[in-house]
Amino acid sequence: GAVLAALREIEENYRTADLTRLAAELHVSLPYLSAAVHRATGRTFKELLLEKRLSKAAQLLRETRLTTQDIILAVGYENTSYFYRVFRARFGVTPKDYRKERGGDFLPQAT
């Protein structure tokens, strides 16, 4: 139950997901919940949340015209430079280049 609740928290509330709050709601200790998630998935809650936020950001870059700044806020980051760093580490390109390479289906084609 607790692990599924943590995974659901990431899935549904990735913007504001908070393991401390969730542990309190589930009446379990933070270390217990943290360890349970790690045991079940092989990754920490933080890593899973980061992955979810980055894949959501990537999707928004591909499928919308939202500015990178709006996307960063939409997925739950205030720190822009941190986001750029982790995005680049994950995808190997900046958000702008990612959009150029992967998105663009919805943008008018340059003639």
Side-chain angles (χ1 to χ4, degrees):
V3 171
L4 280 177
L7 297 178
R8 198 163 48 242
E9 172 80 358
I10 289 172
E11 207 43 52
E12 294 168 6
N13 306 317
Y14 57 85
R15 207 170 155 263
T16 56
D18 182 352
L19 198 59
T20 309
R21 189 192 69 238
L22 188 63
E25 284 172 16
L26 297 170
H27 308 291
V28 297
S29 77
L30 179 60
Y32 165 82
L33 185 54
S34 194
V37 168
H38 194 265
R39 240 196 338 272
T41 64
R43 319 217 356 244
T44 65
F45 182 82
K46 224 176 172 152
E47 289 167 343
L48 292 166
L49 181 57
L50 176 67
E51 182 58 39
K52 173 67 186 178
R53 285 173 166 174
L54 287 176
S55 64
K56 190 67 192 173
Q59 183 193 347
L60 292 170
L61 284 165
R62 287 193 311 269
E63 297 174 5
T64 74
R65 286 192 173 88
L66 288 171
T67 67
T68 303
Q69 195 54 50
D70 285 343
I71 290 172
I72 292 169
L73 291 172
V75 299
Y77 286 108
E78 270 94 61
N79 187 331
T80 306
S81 58
Y82 174 75
F83 175 84
Y84 274 94
R85 198 164 64 242
V86 294
F87 189 92
R88 192 167 192 151
R90 168 73 175 76
F91 294 103
V93 289
T94 63
K96 191 177 174 181
D97 287 342
Y98 181 90
R99 173 173 266 164
K100 233 185 335 222
E101 290 169 14
R102 313 276 182 93
D105 301 343
F106 56 87
L107 295 172
Q109 291 302 308
T111 45

